[in-house]
Amino acid sequence: MVLKVFFPSCCSSADSGILIGRWISEQNSAVILAVVHFPFIPVQVKQYLGEVQHVSKVSVSVIGSWSNSKQEKEESLSEFLEDLGTIFCHEPWIQISKEGDSKFWSCSTLQKHSKNPQEEEIILVYYDQCKVMLSHLHPPLDTAGQRAEDASKLSAIFDTVARSQVLFMTDRYDEGPIKLTHWQSDGVEASIIVELLKQASVPACMLLTFLLSLVSGICRSRVLKFWPLSFLWSKLSTCEQLGHRLQHLQVISSNKKAQNQNQLMRKANIFVSLLIDVALGILLMSWLYRKNRIGHLADTLIPVADHVAEELQDLLQWLMGAPAGLKMNRALDQVLGRFFLYHIHLWISYIHLLSPFIEMILWYVGLSACLGLTVALCILSDIIALLTFHIYCFYVYGARLYCLKIYGLSSLWRLFRGKKWNVLRQRVDSCSYDLDQLFIGTLLFTILLFLLPTTALYYLVFTLLRLLVVIVQGLIHLLVDLIDSLPLYSLILRLCRSYRLAAGVKFRVLEQQDGKPLRLLMQINPLSYGGVIQTYRLPTYSCYPRDSWASLCKKLFLGELIYPWKHKGDKQN
């Protein structure tokens, strides 16, 4: 039978002593956790291990001896180390010795109480205690009932190291009777700044929770549920983003401890995302308020709006003539053209009416960048929606008129075939029509058919303009969703400490020689960057309609309205 011994690489240069670890009988494996150096009193060692076992719920015991060959030349400890097996009474007793500067170690087992001792093939596996403990490949701490089932898996090794954290809290500077060597024996990793931040985070989180409860109470009040405010809150992307960030702040300031690794990573990703978002917003705000850039932007906005209006007027004049040599219905073409030209005239008057206040509006809007770059981008999207509201009106008018004619033609076409649409049963049924109905239906069908090209041309032009605005707004919201959902903390952790985001392990053969134990090195396989994004990606407030090209073309052909995004709770268009 093969005996697997997991030995921490940090103990390879330790002085001679005894090995502390856990024996996993189901796997015939031994997990070495630390080395106890001389001098020590066996009673104190047993008492200390009893305390560790009571706290960590891990059956930690003395399972063998460790001999450093350099020290053994000075002190004859081999016989004494063998006799320790009778004091601590562990079966089998593992003896590991380092042979000078040789790469090969000797590892053997003693079975004094066994009647038929058998030689076992030994595999010595080196592992990094720090990486194994922080890799989170072990089972969650709240699955105590499943530990027996997972005992045959490799996760039992990681679980043993992770739950033995109490054993690693003692270092060489402690004045205790027992001296240990482990991954933190040179000193427990700590930072004064981190400890001060931990102490200050409690009152800060309490104050932030109180303020957020007031803000959320105001947001849930009945005043915001009335029609004008509720409509603006549901349609303006700035309000949606503010509500989304409010939920993030509530998650961060919550005093509930994270139950597992995913919740902890979610909090960290939200905090880093919010921090970077605010930092980028402050940089944008500092750039806007330098060298009077807001004034230059306000002075540029009016000429740009006038230029867009002039281009639309030229486009309508072209449509009112003979566009691309097409024969249009003269009366309908003139009516539609003058109707849209009047709307453009109203829009230009509206823009020039607001021109004295645009710089002041932009100055106050620029202050919102301190709430984050995503808030500033959402405000930019809303400003684009307001500045192109006349294009949206043109699109709605053209789409409704075109939709009316398409559905009228389809209904009259069913009349020619002797069928009708049954509203109650939602199906097409047969129907008999008299001569007057067929005559009127023929006249209406002819009128709608000959007016359809003129309406379809206006609808096509304004749909293309609307799609252009939708693409710009979609790119802005795509950038907002990228900042909101990208797990920045996980990506930084994957770049700096990849073992914290482990996907598995791999074993590499170090040396192999006849008569010597096989030496393997256990390494942590980190998650790929794509796996990190897929696993720890944060949810966003908007969900884009994932329509196929066929569905989108069907909507455009039938004249149904399209939107750049669909918020949660809205009906599918």
PDB file of all heavy atoms in Angstrom, residues 157-168:
ATOM      1  N   ILE A 157      -7.022  17.409   2.572  1.00  0.00           N
ATOM      2  CA  ILE A 157      -5.700  17.966   2.889  1.00  0.00           C
ATOM      3  C   ILE A 157      -5.800  19.479   3.080  1.00  0.00           C
ATOM      4  O   ILE A 157      -5.272  20.045   4.043  1.00  0.00           O
ATOM      5  CB  ILE A 157      -4.705  17.625   1.767  1.00  0.00           C
ATOM      6  CG1 ILE A 157      -4.743  16.131   1.440  1.00  0.00           C
ATOM      7  CG2 ILE A 157      -3.299  18.066   2.143  1.00  0.00           C
ATOM      8  CD1 ILE A 157      -4.384  15.230   2.577  1.00  0.00           C
ATOM      9  N   PHE A 158      -6.503  20.130   2.169  1.00  0.00           N
ATOM     10  CA  PHE A 158      -6.664  21.575   2.271  1.00  0.00           C
ATOM     11  C   PHE A 158      -7.511  21.944   3.491  1.00  0.00           C
ATOM     12  O   PHE A 158      -7.248  22.952   4.150  1.00  0.00           O
ATOM     13  CB  PHE A 158      -7.331  22.109   0.994  1.00  0.00           C
ATOM     14  CG  PHE A 158      -6.462  22.025  -0.223  1.00  0.00           C
ATOM     15  CD1 PHE A 158      -6.371  20.860  -0.961  1.00  0.00           C
ATOM     16  CD2 PHE A 158      -5.723  23.117  -0.624  1.00  0.00           C
ATOM     17  CE1 PHE A 158      -5.574  20.784  -2.079  1.00  0.00           C
ATOM     18  CE2 PHE A 158      -4.919  23.057  -1.754  1.00  0.00           C
ATOM     19  CZ  PHE A 158      -4.838  21.881  -2.479  1.00  0.00           C
ATOM     20  N   ASP A 159      -8.498  21.131   3.784  1.00  0.00           N
ATOM     21  CA  ASP A 159      -9.348  21.384   4.944  1.00  0.00           C
ATOM     22  C   ASP A 159      -8.554  21.283   6.232  1.00  0.00           C
ATOM     23  O   ASP A 159      -8.748  22.066   7.168  1.00  0.00           O
ATOM     24  CB  ASP A 159     -10.508  20.395   4.940  1.00  0.00           C
ATOM     25  CG  ASP A 159     -11.548  20.732   5.990  1.00  0.00           C
ATOM     26  OD1 ASP A 159     -11.657  21.925   6.340  1.00  0.00           O
ATOM     27  OD2 ASP A 159     -12.243  19.815   6.469  1.00  0.00           O
ATOM     28  N   THR A 160      -7.634  20.324   6.293  1.00  0.00           N
ATOM     29  CA  THR A 160      -6.805  20.165   7.494  1.00  0.00           C
ATOM     30  C   THR A 160      -5.926  21.383   7.720  1.00  0.00           C
ATOM     31  O   THR A 160      -5.831  21.906   8.836  1.00  0.00           O
ATOM     32  CB  THR A 160      -5.936  18.906   7.347  1.00  0.00           C
ATOM     33  OG1 THR A 160      -6.775  17.766   7.186  1.00  0.00           O
ATOM     34  CG2 THR A 160      -5.061  18.719   8.565  1.00  0.00           C
ATOM     35  N   VAL A 161      -5.274  21.858   6.665  1.00  0.00           N
ATOM     36  CA  VAL A 161      -4.395  23.026   6.799  1.00  0.00           C
ATOM     37  C   VAL A 161      -5.197  24.280   7.125  1.00  0.00           C
ATOM     38  O   VAL A 161      -4.788  25.103   7.951  1.00  0.00           O
ATOM     39  CB  VAL A 161      -3.569  23.208   5.511  1.00  0.00           C
ATOM     40  CG1 VAL A 161      -2.658  24.425   5.627  1.00  0.00           C
ATOM     41  CG2 VAL A 161      -2.742  21.967   5.220  1.00  0.00           C
ATOM     42  N   ALA A 162      -6.366  24.450   6.503  1.00  0.00           N
ATOM     43  CA  ALA A 162      -7.167  25.660   6.719  1.00  0.00           C
ATOM     44  C   ALA A 162      -7.717  25.730   8.133  1.00  0.00           C
ATOM     45  O   ALA A 162      -7.739  26.809   8.743  1.00  0.00           O
ATOM     46  CB  ALA A 162      -8.309  25.711   5.705  1.00  0.00           C
ATOM     47  N   ARG A 163      -8.166  24.600   8.679  1.00  0.00           N
ATOM     48  CA  ARG A 163      -8.744  24.615  10.029  1.00  0.00           C
ATOM     49  C   ARG A 163      -7.698  24.611  11.126  1.00  0.00           C
ATOM     50  O   ARG A 163      -8.048  24.754  12.296  1.00  0.00           O
ATOM     51  CB  ARG A 163      -9.677  23.422  10.195  1.00  0.00           C
ATOM     52  CG  ARG A 163     -10.962  23.536   9.403  1.00  0.00           C
ATOM     53  CD  ARG A 163     -11.943  22.467   9.788  1.00  0.00           C
ATOM     54  NE  ARG A 163     -11.517  21.158   9.348  1.00  0.00           N
ATOM     55  CZ  ARG A 163     -11.767  20.032  10.010  1.00  0.00           C
ATOM     56  NH1 ARG A 163     -12.404  20.076  11.146  1.00  0.00           N
ATOM     57  NH2 ARG A 163     -11.357  18.865   9.534  1.00  0.00           N
ATOM     58  N   SER A 164      -6.422  24.457  10.762  1.00  0.00           N
ATOM     59  CA  SER A 164      -5.339  24.471  11.754  1.00  0.00           C
ATOM     60  C   SER A 164      -4.711  25.847  11.874  1.00  0.00           C
ATOM     61  O   SER A 164      -3.521  25.972  12.198  1.00  0.00           O
ATOM     62  CB  SER A 164      -4.277  23.441  11.378  1.00  0.00           C
ATOM     63  OG  SER A 164      -4.822  22.154  11.258  1.00  0.00           O
ATOM     64  N   GLN A 165      -5.491  26.874  11.634  1.00  0.00           N
ATOM     65  CA  GLN A 165      -4.959  28.235  11.673  1.00  0.00           C
ATOM     66  C   GLN A 165      -4.487  28.614  13.069  1.00  0.00           C
ATOM     67  O   GLN A 165      -3.563  29.403  13.225  1.00  0.00           O
ATOM     68  CB  GLN A 165      -6.029  29.218  11.190  1.00  0.00           C
ATOM     69  CG  GLN A 165      -5.532  30.644  11.028  1.00  0.00           C
ATOM     70  CD  GLN A 165      -6.599  31.556  10.454  1.00  0.00           C
ATOM     71  OE1 GLN A 165      -7.724  31.113  10.236  1.00  0.00           O
ATOM     72  NE2 GLN A 165      -6.252  32.802  10.212  1.00  0.00           N
ATOM     73  N   VAL A 166      -5.103  28.043  14.103  1.00  0.00           N
ATOM     74  CA  VAL A 166      -4.691  28.348  15.478  1.00  0.00           C
ATOM     75  C   VAL A 166      -3.263  27.896  15.720  1.00  0.00           C
ATOM     76  O   VAL A 166      -2.503  28.532  16.463  1.00  0.00           O
ATOM     77  CB  VAL A 166      -5.659  27.667  16.467  1.00  0.00           C
ATOM     78  CG1 VAL A 166      -5.281  27.990  17.903  1.00  0.00           C
ATOM     79  CG2 VAL A 166      -7.079  28.098  16.189  1.00  0.00           C
ATOM     80  N   LEU A 167      -2.875  26.800  15.095  1.00  0.00           N
ATOM     81  CA  LEU A 167      -1.516  26.283  15.273  1.00  0.00           C
ATOM     82  C   LEU A 167      -0.480  27.227  14.705  1.00  0.00           C
ATOM     83  O   LEU A 167       0.667  27.261  15.188  1.00  0.00           O
ATOM     84  CB  LEU A 167      -1.413  24.909  14.600  1.00  0.00           C
ATOM     85  CG  LEU A 167      -0.109  24.130  14.760  1.00  0.00           C
ATOM     86  CD1 LEU A 167       0.099  23.740  16.218  1.00  0.00           C
ATOM     87  CD2 LEU A 167      -0.112  22.895  13.876  1.00  0.00           C
ATOM     88  N   PHE A 168      -0.847  28.011  13.698  1.00  0.00           N
ATOM     89  CA  PHE A 168       0.109  28.896  13.033  1.00  0.00           C
ATOM     90  C   PHE A 168       0.166  30.289  13.664  1.00  0.00           C
ATOM     91  O   PHE A 168       0.847  31.159  13.119  1.00  0.00           O
ATOM     92  CB  PHE A 168      -0.259  29.038  11.547  1.00  0.00           C
ATOM     93  CG  PHE A 168      -0.396  27.734  10.829  1.00  0.00           C
ATOM     94  CD1 PHE A 168      -1.424  27.528   9.912  1.00  0.00           C
ATOM     95  CD2 PHE A 168       0.489  26.702  11.062  1.00  0.00           C
ATOM     96  CE1 PHE A 168      -1.552  26.327   9.247  1.00  0.00           C
ATOM     97  CE2 PHE A 168       0.369  25.490  10.406  1.00  0.00           C
ATOM     98  CZ  PHE A 168      -0.657  25.305   9.499  1.00  0.00           C
TER      99      PHE A 168
END
